Amino acid sequence: MIAPTTEADLAAAVASADGPLRVLGGGTRPVGRPVAGTPLSAAALSGVELYEPGALTLVVRAGTPLAEVEDVLAAENQRLPFEPMDHRALLGTEGTPTIGGVVAANVSGPRRVQAGACRDFLLGVRFVDGTGTVVKNGGRVMKNVTGYDLVKLMAGSWGTLGVLTEVSLKVLAGPEAEATLVARGLNDAEAVAALCRALGTPFDVSGAAHLGDGVADGPRTQVRVEGMASSVVYRVERLLAELPGFVAVEGAESAKLWREVRDVTPFAGEAGAVWRVSVKPTDGPALTAALRAAGLAHRALYDWGGGLVWLLVPEDGDAGAGAVRDAVAARGGHATLVRASEAVRAEVPVFQPEPGPLAAIGAGLRARFDPRGILNPGLMA
Amino acid sequence: MDMPDPRAAVLSKKANLVERLQAVLPADAVIHEAQEVLAYECDALTAYRCPPLAAVLPSSTEEVAAVLRICHEEGVPVVPRGSGTSLAGGALPTADSVILGVARLTEVLETDYDNRFIRVQAGRTNLSVTGAVEADDFFYAPDPSSQLACAIAGNIGMNSGGAHCLKYGVTTNNLLGVTAVMMDGTVVEIGGAHLDAGGLDLLGLICGSEGQLALVTEATLRILRKPEGARPVLMGYNSSEVAGRVVSEIIKAGILPVAIEFMDRPCIRATEDFAGAGYPDCEALLIVEVEGSDAEIDAQLGVILQIARKHDPVAIRESESAEESARIWLGRKSAFGAMGQINDYMCLDGTIPVDKLPEVLRRTAEMAAGYGLEVANVFHAGDGNMHPLILFDANAPGELEKCEALGADILRLCVEVGGCLTGEHGVGVEKRDLMSDQFAPEDMEAQMRVKDVFDSAWLLNPAKVFPLAVSAARRAA
């Protein structure tokens, strides 16, 4: 394991590498086609460079533990608005998630539906490309259209275009209060209809999820509001009027419901492969119905109002890839095989296969940012 | 400001090129007579003009693809144009280029309230996107001040912002998908009605690429339900430091206003003369707007006013009616018109870390005095996006050059304090030669490699964004 402690050392390590590198943060998110290569960890590049609560700006080295970032923000009653998922329970991994890993995987949670994804809060990056050159893009200010937006490109590129060494993020205040409206026993279509109705109100819903069969006490549909205490009370009242059959829970009880959704805990420790599918919300229930019709047994968890579908499927054969990708292709969207054995991930494309021209652009970008093909080669293939 | 010399080989084949374009487009969609192409000689950066070789106005993605295929084969540069409202010269042609205007691509293709998106052709104006959904109480959030005229295609090209970004983000945060045509005529679909496009974030890359990577013909945009209400409050202070502290404390208190606007004394005086909104005569004026139900607004303004009053305000004006709210916004909304009344002006849009505001205002005033020019400041304070307006007389010899030199100094100052050259207008030709002040050569090299992938011959809007000397080898290849 190479674990440089400075950006310059990391750049030198990449420049002098004579073979493939397996780029890591904390190593808690082993998603993608397995990579054979020397592990290169950015975890030793750690620490907060700059934090200005009054400007909602945080600049931090990529290897900084996510928990440390969250603690620093919490001390000023602020947080990462995109609510990044902790993959450890679902993927059965151990270790310390890093902020660089969150960015490299563009990890967002339930609040993505309201606030935006990790990439939407990423203001700037520094990274080492495949030649060992340090590149910076973006900055620390909220509005910046100076040159191309390589910041977005780096988010979700899984270390295939460069090794992140520093990230700047926009943060937001934590809320004074939160509450969740909960309904039990709705079927998928009823649930997603209710979630769409909630998201279409002016009441600033910050979470809209449905946990289908297999959850203790049966299917659970949930809608969250956060903000000033008096405002939460008001919006809960208005939403209850819009959503018959829901009841409200508050505070820690509400927060617990969302950690389960964020971390997909109903599928943690359950045998099988896990897919993460993004479609438009009303297509969520139609997609799972199509999978049932195609004979693919599964359990589903819907986040983002129905648009993010987590599927637990048997890990036989292609782990459902044929059926899942057909169902996605019929509707538009994309599917990622987030959890499966190395053997399955070596055979089944983990990321959504792209049409020729887009695949060519992706290949072209990798060839130019990493001309020797040494950074997580094949991971996104 | 220099532009590359037109390629003689392209100029000499104009007749043949026009003929080929006429074969794939309706007769009235190919504009090539010398008098007619003059309409496309500049955008809103009117100091620079050059008539293009021709202009085309396709009505479909297929027509756009046909045009690009021809220009690609013929080696003719193409300059995309939305509504021509760019303040950075993003749509400035060269004499050997074809302007590709999206003005005829204005249809709404799909509106979906359950899934909260609208799909439009990219020539549709920003305001008319909201116009298409507002009867149903929805809106499209990015609101650049040219929103009555500017096209979604241009908004995507420049990643446009507006006054409400602090809460709702800029174009890239509200763009779900595009249909785009590559320079060789290949049509690509990126993203869609779902959240987060798959694979590498090509959508994020195209947004803000100033028309240099691909030509966007259709866009899927996130729409939001309108808040129940909105209300501003106005406050005046006798120093910009104090106003800056108020902004920072409001944000730290956990309130996320939908807009925080700042005006300095020269700007206040000019707008008072022009619009008479009754603003206090003070060093720094803030307009803070919050959204929600009446009770929610009261609660937020309660916190804001408590902070505001702690800092010895010269004036505080609350609103108790729609008319009073409109009067609070009146001066701010007429700021640009007021400046135009006084003189010619150049509008910059550097962004700075918000805590550097007092320093930047002080040093800007000092630099302006050194040039013998006046600068008025209006500013999106919540997100640090400055809009210094440099007043000058375009008819006085040497004044434009002096004004540009001051503008460059101010933008270098923005970079020096940790900010950037442009927050929402784009680089275009206006800030092209300052890119080296913000980026090291390897930073620009990384960006230019992206263009190599999308447009290997560097035919799409080639003379923009990167300093000419930096991009010369690629453009000549």
Side-chain angles (χ1 to χ4, degrees), chain B residues 347-371:
Chain B
C347 173
L348 306 176
D349 94 309
T351 304
I352 57 168
V354 285
D355 62 316
K356 304 289 192 216
L357 171 64
E359 177 191 346
V360 169
L361 290 179
R362 178 177 51 76
R363 289 176 62 188
T364 297
E366 287 166 9
M367 289 190 294
Y371 281 95

Side-chain angles (χ1 to χ4, degrees), chain B residues 57-133:
Chain B
L57 299 172
S59 302
S60 67
T61 299
E62 294 69 32
E63 287 185 0
V64 170
V67 168
L68 289 178
R69 258 193 305 273
I70 291 168
C71 291
H72 187 246
E73 282 167 22
E74 300 282 352
V76 177
V78 172
V79 175
R81 181 182 167 104
S83 298
T85 58
S86 172
L87 292 164
L92 177 70
T94 47
D96 59 356
S97 70
V98 168
I99 285 270
L100 198 159
V102 292
R104 292 187 182 174
L105 293 164
T106 59
E107 296 295 306
V108 172
L109 302 170
E110 189 181 359
T111 308
D112 184 335
Y113 295 116
D114 278 342
N115 294 302
R116 298 171 307 285
F117 72 87
I118 184 169
R119 195 159 60 85
V120 298
Q121 290 186 314
R124 193 169 180 89
T125 62
N126 175 291
L127 194 59
S128 71
V129 171
T130 288
V133 295

Side-chain angles (χ1 to χ4, degrees), chain A residues 52 112 119-120 136 140 143 145-148 170 173 199-200 202 231 234-235 238 278 281-282 334, chain B residues 115-116 162 166 172-173 195-196 201 212 225-226 228 296 351 353 355 380 383 385 422 424 438 443 447:
Chain A
E52 286 183 0
R112 192 268 172 267
R119 56 87 94 173
D120 293 301
K136 67 171 189 299
R140 53 176 278 215
K143 274 166 88 180
V145 296
T146 320
Y148 295 168
K170 174 182 172 181
L199 287 164
S231 163
Y234 167 76
R235 285 181 285 147
R238 295 294 304 269
S278 180
T282 53
H334 55 91
Chain B
N115 294 302
R116 298 171 307 285
L166 185 58
T172 192
N173 310 118
L195 293 176
D196 297 342
D201 193 351
Q212 291 198 307
R225 179 70 184 266
K226 269 193 209 161
E228 290 180 276
E296 289 176 298
T351 304
D355 62 316
H380 305 305
D383 51 33
N385 192 190
T422 170
E424 57 186 359
Q438 180 163 344
D443 301 333
Q447 296 176 38

Side-chain angles (χ1 to χ4, degrees), chain A residues 123-216:
Chain A
L123 304 175
V125 290
R126 292 177 67 92
F127 63 93
V128 174
D129 75 7
T131 68
T133 305
V134 176
V135 176
K136 67 171 189 299
N137 193 262
R140 53 176 278 215
V141 290
M142 268 183 228
K143 274 166 88 180
N144 185 346
V145 296
T146 320
Y148 295 168
D149 195 347
L150 306 186
V151 172
K152 302 275 184 312
L153 182 65
M154 293 307 293
S157 63
W158 294 88
T160 63
L161 297 177
V163 185
L164 290 166
T165 57
E166 182 186 287
V167 296
S168 315
L169 293 154
K170 174 182 172 181
V171 300
L172 287 177
E176 194 175 273
E178 73 166 88
T180 298
L181 285 71
V182 182
R184 291 285 181 178
L186 300 182
N187 70 32
D188 293 358
E190 290 165 346
V192 168
L195 298 178
C196 287
R197 195 152 68 241
L199 287 164
T201 66
F203 306 124
D204 212 12
V205 166
S206 73
H210 172 66
L211 295 77
D213 290 326
V215 182

Side-chain angles (χ1 to χ4, degrees), chain A residues 50 136 140-141, chain B residues 350-353 355-356 359-360 362-364 366-367 407-422 434-439:
Chain A
L50 176 144
K136 67 171 189 299
R140 53 176 278 215
V141 290
Chain B
T351 304
I352 57 168
D355 62 316
K356 304 289 192 216
E359 177 191 346
V360 169
R362 178 177 51 76
R363 289 176 62 188
T364 297
E366 287 166 9
M367 289 190 294
D409 286 350
I410 293 172
L411 293 181
R412 285 191 198 98
L413 172 61
C414 292
V415 173
E416 182 199 314
V417 301
C420 66
L421 298 171
T422 170
L434 292 168
M435 284 285 278
S436 309
D437 288 281
Q438 180 163 344
F439 292 113

Side-chain angles (χ1 to χ4, degrees), chain B residues 277-472:
Chain B
Y279 284 0
D281 190 19
C282 58
E283 277 306 312
L285 183 148
L286 295 173
I287 299 173
V288 183
E289 181 159 277
V290 296
E291 290 179 341
S293 68
D294 271 342
E296 289 176 298
I297 289 172
D298 287 342
Q300 294 175 78
L301 288 183
V303 175
I304 290 169
L305 286 167
Q306 202 179 4
I307 293 166
R309 291 205 170 95
K310 266 193 337 212
H311 291 277
D312 199 16
V314 176
I316 284 190
R317 234 168 78 192
E318 297 181 66
S319 160
E320 278 168 16
S321 66
E323 292 70 34
E324 284 179 29
S325 294
R327 279 191 72 74
I328 286 178
W329 276 112
L330 176 66
R332 168 62 184 89
K333 291 198 166 159
S334 47
F336 287 63
M339 292 300 154
Q341 197 83 341
I342 301 176
N343 223 326
D344 300 301
Y345 68 83
M346 177 189 254
C347 173
L348 306 176
D349 94 309
T351 304
I352 57 168
V354 285
D355 62 316
K356 304 289 192 216
L357 171 64
E359 177 191 346
V360 169
L361 290 179
R362 178 177 51 76
R363 289 176 62 188
T364 297
E366 287 166 9
M367 289 190 294
Y371 281 95
L373 290 170
E374 253 201 283
V375 176
N377 282 287
V378 25
F379 184 93
H380 305 305
D383 51 33
N385 192 190
M386 309 265 297
H387 286 309
L389 303 170
I390 307 174
L391 298 168
F392 72 107
D393 179 356
N395 294 320
E399 280 259 305
L400 173 64
E401 290 71 22
K402 227 165 59 171
C403 168
E404 287 182 329
L406 171 58
D409 286 350
I410 293 172
L411 293 181
R412 285 191 198 98
L413 172 61
C414 292
V415 173
E416 182 199 314
V417 301
C420 66
L421 298 171
T422 170
E424 57 186 359
H425 294 175
V427 176
V429 295
E430 190 204 17
K431 282 149 288 201
R432 188 188 63 190
D433 298 321
L434 292 168
M435 284 285 278
S436 309
D437 288 281
Q438 180 163 344
F439 292 113
E442 50 273 25
D443 301 333
M444 283 189 283
E445 176 65 25
Q447 296 176 38
M448 290 189 298
R449 282 187 211 140
V450 171
K451 181 159 174 66
D452 294 341
V453 172
F454 281 82
D455 172 26
S456 58
W458 277 62
L459 290 172
L460 260 181
N461 219 8
K464 312 288 166 66
V465 183
F466 305 103
L468 287 184
V470 171
S471 65

Side-chain angles (χ1 to χ4, degrees), chain B residues 183-198:
Chain B
M183 187 63 215
D184 65 3
T186 306
V187 177
V188 293
E189 301 279 346
I190 304 174
H194 52 281
L195 293 176
D196 297 342

